[in-house]
Amino acid sequence: MDVEGMNNTNVMCLLTDPEGTQLGAPMYLPQNAGPRQLQEIVNKLLNNEEKFPYSFYISDQELVVQLGSYLEKNKVSVEKVLRIVYQPRAVFRIRPISRCSATIDGHKSVIVTVAFSPDGRQLASGSGDATVRLWDLNTQTPLHTCTGHKSWVLCIAWSPDGKHLVSGSRAGDLLSWDQKTGKASGNPLIRHNNWVTAISWEPVHLKSPCCRFVSSSKDGNAHIWDISLRRCIISLTGHKSSVTCVKWGGDGMIYSSSQDCTIKVWESLEGKLIRELKGHGHWVNSIALSTDYVLRTGAFDHTGKQYSSPEEMKEAALKRYNKIRGNAPERLVSGSDDFTVFLWEPTISKHPKLRLTGHQQLVNHVSFSPDGQWIASASFDRSVRLWNGATGKFVATFRGHVGPVYQTCWSADSRLLLSGSKDSTVKVWDIQKHKLKQDLPGHADEVFAVDWSPDGEKVASGGRDRVLKLWM
């Protein structure tokens, strides 16, 4: 790989993956080498039979020009070894969302939550009118109105095999729904005595078909339920205040964040507390895992492939999970009322890997990109910040909203980020160029909930104006 006749036109480069593992020894490359040549080198060194696309980063900045141009622009010395991080890119590319294709009435109150099914073929929304609604994405019309809750529906979650939909309400009850009829399958699941804040399913690569999920509540507890037995099988107690968010990780751990400023890590077989993550000085509002996207979508990807058996689905999901996780441990990110974001590796240490500062107000929502490479944090300071998902290093601030940012969601190829805000707009941000790609006005009031379909075709948004908008 070394170039003959090494002179001042060559640069000593070291290729590493995002975790810092070196790919071979340092090598001399000509200054006219760019991303295309680096891609060939990486594919060759990794012995990839089929050629995969990669992005390359120097000091968290994507290399889009020849090495010489980069060195000149950034005043980098050729005397030092240049560390270049290679990152696999999605083989497919999502088309940017640019227009509203449907504005659908139906809910009689605020839309609090929206969620596409793992295969992207179905959409559900939860509202202050105490209903869950299922929408027909082909005709872009209401399909079913699911009634049974007595109070606001605050959260909904599809099982990663797409077979179940569960919702939680402000009254503390949980209901599962038959997607074909829109009727509740069985009586409400009752154990919480305050509103349900989050629901997360056991990953399909651990158990297929899916039957267990965990719910968290303002009552300070989390409960593991078995949908086939229709009862609570384990209670996770120990938080001293409201549990704000819960996640079921890919290695079987359950993570719960709370207004008691802590995050607890539980094992899911008996519900034993493994460790407590302390560091935040105020309420922890939101947590996300580096593998969230693949845990949510299970075996389904952009190709739309369907599976004939639970075993086949489990195998495909495990393959996808292992590919995204790589050799590194699952990472966790948390956002808090103390204006900070923390990056953790909970299976390795109870201490944060890094404290990410910069927001001027509370951090409302955090999310990892589908490939785990980026972290987005949404704040009441009207900005979205982008961080490196492996190192936690600050990358960019997205400004443009004129009100608090409530929620973000990612395109399946990790190239675009979408945010919904109190300012009644939805905005799409370009991750590579670090700037606004598309401004999507249209809502008449605050936008509380956004989701991007896993097939990349559609975005759904809802909020205070009680309409569901679909964007293409």
Side-chain angles (χ1 to χ4, degrees), residues 94-355:
I94 299 296
R95 286 195 301 261
I97 300 293
S98 58
R99 62 184 179 85
C100 179
S101 66
T103 301
I104 320 172
D105 292 314
H107 280 298
K108 306 280 188 293
S109 181
V110 179
I111 295 173
V112 184
T113 177
V114 293
F116 284 96
S117 61
D119 60 4
R121 294 181 179 196
Q122 299 181 79
L123 174 66
S125 59
S127 162
D129 62 14
T131 69
V132 171
R133 281 179 177 256
L134 291 165
W135 308 88
D136 187 322
L137 292 174
N138 295 320
T139 61
Q140 302 191 344
T141 54
L143 188 62
H144 297 299
T145 302
C146 310
T147 57
H149 284 297
K150 302 282 189 289
S151 185
W152 287 46
V153 178
L154 298 181
C155 48
I156 47 180
W158 296 87
S159 61
D161 60 4
K163 300 276 190 284
H164 304 286
L165 174 67
V166 168
S167 57
S169 90
R170 196 168 175 167
D173 59 324
L174 294 145
L175 281 168
S176 64
W177 304 98
D178 183 321
Q179 300 149 37
K180 292 187 176 68
T181 64
K183 300 271 187 286
S185 29
N187 295 325
L189 304 173
I190 296 169
R191 180 61 72 96
H192 291 298
N193 57 29
N194 209 325
W195 64 47
V196 179
T197 53
I199 300 166
S200 183
W201 283 86
E202 182 173 23
V204 70
H205 72 259
L206 296 177
K207 182 99 169 60
S208 181
C210 294
C211 60
R212 296 199 302 166
F213 69 91
V214 60
S215 62
S216 61
S217 166
K218 202 173 156 70
D219 64 12
N221 300 320
H223 299 302
I224 299 175
W225 306 84
D226 188 309
I227 200 90
S228 48
L229 301 174
R230 303 205 59 75
R231 64 182 176 86
C232 171
I233 49 174
I234 299 169
S235 291
L236 310 176
T237 58
H239 279 297
K240 296 183 177 64
S241 190
S242 169
V243 182
T244 53
C245 194
V246 68
K247 296 279 181 184
W248 200 314
D251 45 15
M253 308 295 178
I254 291 172
Y255 306 92
S256 59
S257 62
S258 168
Q259 289 182 353
D260 66 10
C261 310
T262 71
I263 299 158
K264 292 188 189 292
V265 186
W266 316 81
E267 60 84 40
S268 54
L269 291 174
E270 294 173 16
K272 286 192 185 121
L273 180 66
I274 295 171
R275 58 177 45 141
E276 196 171 50
L277 311 178
K278 290 180 176 173
H280 283 297
H282 211 302
W283 297 356
V284 185
N285 296 319
S286 173
I287 54 173
L289 289 165
S290 54
T291 51
D292 265 348
Y293 185 80
V294 76
L295 296 180
R296 169 196 170 175
T297 53
F300 299 108
D301 62 14
H302 65 284
T303 60
K305 185 181 174 191
Q306 297 292 308
Y307 297 89
S308 55
S309 72
E311 291 72 32
E312 189 189 2
M313 192 177 263
K314 184 178 179 182
E315 199 177 308
L318 182 61
K319 206 169 167 184
R320 286 187 76 216
Y321 172 74
N322 287 336
K323 187 180 172 191
I324 285 295
R325 183 177 159 170
N327 303 322
E330 220 165 28
R331 297 183 301 284
L332 179 84
V333 65
S334 55
S336 164
D337 262 26
D338 66 9
F339 306 0
T340 69
V341 175
F342 276 44
L343 182 62
W344 312 81
E345 286 181 344
T347 52
I348 291 175
S349 168
K350 63 178 183 181
H351 302 293
K353 187 173 175 178
L354 206 68
R355 179 171 179 259

Side-chain angles (χ1 to χ4, degrees), residues 375-428:
I375 294 164
S377 55
S379 168
F380 275 29
D381 67 9
R382 308 193 291 277
S383 77
V384 177
R385 283 184 166 244
L386 185 71
W387 317 83
N388 182 301
T391 63
K393 204 171 161 189
F394 170 73
V395 178
T397 304
F398 296 140
R399 296 190 196 281
H401 283 297
V402 293
V405 187
Y406 291 137
Q407 201 178 19
T408 60
C409 61
W410 289 86
S411 64
D413 62 1
S414 302
R415 290 183 175 101
L416 300 168
L417 175 72
L418 184 130
S419 55
S421 162
K422 185 177 181 171
D423 67 11
S424 81
T425 69
V426 173
K427 296 189 193 299
V428 184

Side-chain angles (χ1 to χ4, degrees), residues 31 33 57-76 82-84:
Q31 290 198 22
Y57 296 86
I58 302 171
S59 304
D60 285 332
Q61 190 183 335
E62 185 167 1
L63 181 70
V64 288
V65 293
Q66 293 181 344
L67 287 171
S69 308
Y70 174 86
L71 297 174
E72 197 178 326
K73 188 185 171 193
N74 293 279
K75 311 271 189 291
V76 179
L82 193 65
R83 185 169 172 267
I84 303 175

Side-chain angles (χ1 to χ4, degrees), residues 360-372:
Q360 306 297 309
Q361 286 198 40
L362 69 86
V363 180
N364 190 55
H365 188 246
V366 289
S367 59
F368 268 97
S369 60
D371 60 9

